[in-house]
Amino acid sequence: MESKWAVFTVEPVYNQEIPTISEEEMYQYIIELRRKKVVNVSLGEREPHLLIHFEDEKTLYVNGHHDHYECWQAGDDDGEGWLVVAMPGDEIAFWEPED
């Protein structure tokens, strides 16, 4: 994730200010979420903000808007599977395996 992100216990508002937290706090949030069950993944309606909803009602919100840089990408680690990228200018690009 190259852009700002936050974990919310309520549905985030897209223009909501993302709190500034320390790198240590960022790692702690990710560590706490790593084994949580994902119940839904969605994108923002106008910008490709990434929302990952967990069974404990927390939502990981990743900003998807930037005019010049990719904000986030999601995919598998081997480089031969799928990849989804939030592109500059609010576009989404994706690659999928040939098979």
Side-chain angles (χ1 to χ4, degrees):
M1 297 180 289
E2 294 296 327
S3 66
K4 288 189 172 189
W5 59 273
V7 176
F8 293 97
T9 54
V10 296
E11 190 68 24
V13 178
Y14 295 127
N15 60 359
Q16 181 174 347
E17 182 70 27
I18 296 178
T20 301
I21 59 175
S22 70
E23 187 173 339
E24 182 177 297
E25 290 172 305
M26 287 179 173
Y27 287 129
Q28 188 61 39
Y29 277 127
I30 295 299
I31 288 168
E32 289 174 8
L33 293 174
R34 74 174 186 227
R35 300 211 190 280
K36 302 276 185 191
K37 182 178 179 184
V38 174
V39 295
N40 191 28
V41 177
S42 60
L43 295 176
E45 292 181 24
R46 295 184 182 170
E47 296 94 5
H49 305 305
L50 178 64
L51 296 114
I52 302 175
H53 305 273
F54 297 90
E55 68 181 343
D56 65 356
E57 299 184 7
K58 289 184 179 173
T59 300
L60 173 62
Y61 167 88
V62 183
N63 175 55
H65 172 77
H66 199 285
D67 291 330
H68 305 289
Y69 302 105
E70 297 173 354
C71 293
W72 57 263
Q73 65 180 30
D76 60 15
D77 283 342
D78 67 8
E80 296 180 20
W82 61 272
L83 179 66
V84 180
V85 179
M87 303 294 288
D90 301 331
E91 297 292 326
I92 289 285
F94 65 93
W95 294 264
E96 58 188 29
E98 290 183 18
D99 53 349

